[in-house]
Amino acid sequence: MSPWSLSAGMIGVMALDDEPDLIDELLEELVPPDLEARPKAEQVAVGTSLLHRLKESLANDPESLTRQMSRRQVSPELPQLIGEVVIAAAWAEDAGGTFLQATSGDWDTRARGYDDTSSRLVKALRDTAPKALVDRLEAALELRHFVVHGVWVNGSFVKHPGTGEPFDFVSMKRRYRTEAPEKDTKAFMKSALKWLAREFWEIEDELEKLHSEVLFGKGKAE
């Protein structure tokens, strides 16, 4: 396990495989695609049969239906938590781009990575900023992708491997530029989102210090 994977588990973030959606799978398997075009009597018969099959499927796991429905009941705190991460990440990226521009020594030509994608920003910073700091930024931006681009659901159906406590949220995002459609999923604690916002602010502060050193000279008083 990598140091980042270990720390991610400690702060309350975990990648996970998708749990099958019981209701969707049953509907896909049992409901004929032309059901609405069939006679009403047949529609009623199919519906009755479906309810019977659903009852049988839930017999061994009576809480599964409630669990499926609760996933969409996301905490009212989530928008604020997401917003704090987005704001802090934007400041960190801006600090990185400004630092790159300052190190180029040319304020009339856009520096490589100044206003590029986050991955290109990280790549450009690897030539100028400390490796440990860039590694932190890259890891934080990977989590930011789930925060910004993910579909959020209630995470109570996933348990933290270390504490056994249920996660607060699960985020699923589509994987970028794959041959076939794929998706990635991560479970988050509220504390993990708060930590991620703080991490971006700390990274932003370190990048601004580097920026100042370029402009005014290392160790020189402002």
Side-chain angles (χ1 to χ4, degrees):
M1 177 179 291
S2 68
W4 166 246
S5 298
L6 178 61
S7 63
M10 293 172 63
I11 63 172
V13 181
M14 185 179 75
L16 65 150
D17 296 327
D18 297 331
E19 182 183 11
D21 191 315
L22 175 64
I23 307 305
D24 287 348
E25 287 193 356
L26 279 172
L27 289 175
E28 183 177 347
E29 178 182 354
L30 301 177
V31 177
D34 61 341
L35 179 62
E36 293 184 2
R38 297 187 181 189
K40 292 295 183 182
E42 187 175 358
Q43 292 185 33
V44 173
V46 170
T48 302
S49 175
L50 177 60
L51 288 174
H52 179 71
R53 293 287 300 278
L54 180 59
K55 182 179 179 180
E56 289 183 338
S57 298
L58 294 174
N60 295 327
D61 188 4
E63 296 181 357
S64 60
L65 182 58
T66 301
R67 188 167 64 248
Q68 294 289 341
M69 297 302 295
S70 69
R71 294 187 188 189
R72 293 171 174 82
Q73 299 172 4
V74 187
S75 167
E77 299 176 71
L78 183 59
Q80 180 176 344
L81 293 169
I82 290 176
E84 290 174 356
V85 171
V86 170
I87 292 170
W91 275 90
E93 287 187 306
D94 183 73
T98 304
F99 168 67
L100 288 171
Q101 192 65 53
T103 57
S104 74
D106 183 359
W107 290 96
D108 294 321
T109 304
R110 182 184 66 84
R112 182 175 64 89
Y114 172 77
D115 59 355
D116 283 327
T117 63
S118 59
S119 59
R120 290 177 180 174
L121 171 66
V122 168
K123 185 176 181 179
L125 284 170
R126 291 208 175 277
D127 296 330
T128 53
K131 180 181 183 302
L133 181 60
V134 181
D135 286 345
R136 288 174 63 189
L137 177 60
E138 184 176 35
L141 286 171
E142 173 61 25
L143 291 178
R144 193 279 308 268
H145 294 328
F146 283 90
V147 174
V148 175
H149 303 295
V151 175
W152 291 89
V153 295
N154 187 300
S156 59
F157 63 98
V158 182
K159 298 297 188 294
H160 192 289
T163 65
E165 293 295 318
F167 278 89
D168 294 307
F169 313 112
V170 167
S171 173
M172 183 276 293
K173 72 175 182 67
R174 290 168 291 177
R175 193 172 296 176
Y176 185 58
R177 288 183 177 176
T178 56
E179 183 174 346
E182 297 183 37
K183 60 184 179 181
D184 295 310
T185 309
K186 284 191 185 296
F188 288 82
M189 295 290 196
K190 293 176 184 177
S191 58
L193 293 173
K194 294 177 180 179
W195 169 86
L196 184 56
R198 290 195 303 271
E199 176 73 351
F200 274 120
W201 285 122
E202 291 178 8
I203 292 170
E204 186 265 349
D205 184 61
E206 291 298 320
L207 287 167
E208 286 295 352
K209 288 178 182 177
L210 293 173
H211 177 208
S212 296
E213 290 175 1
V214 172
L215 294 180
F216 305 111
K218 188 172 183 180
K220 185 176 180 179
E222 296 185 8

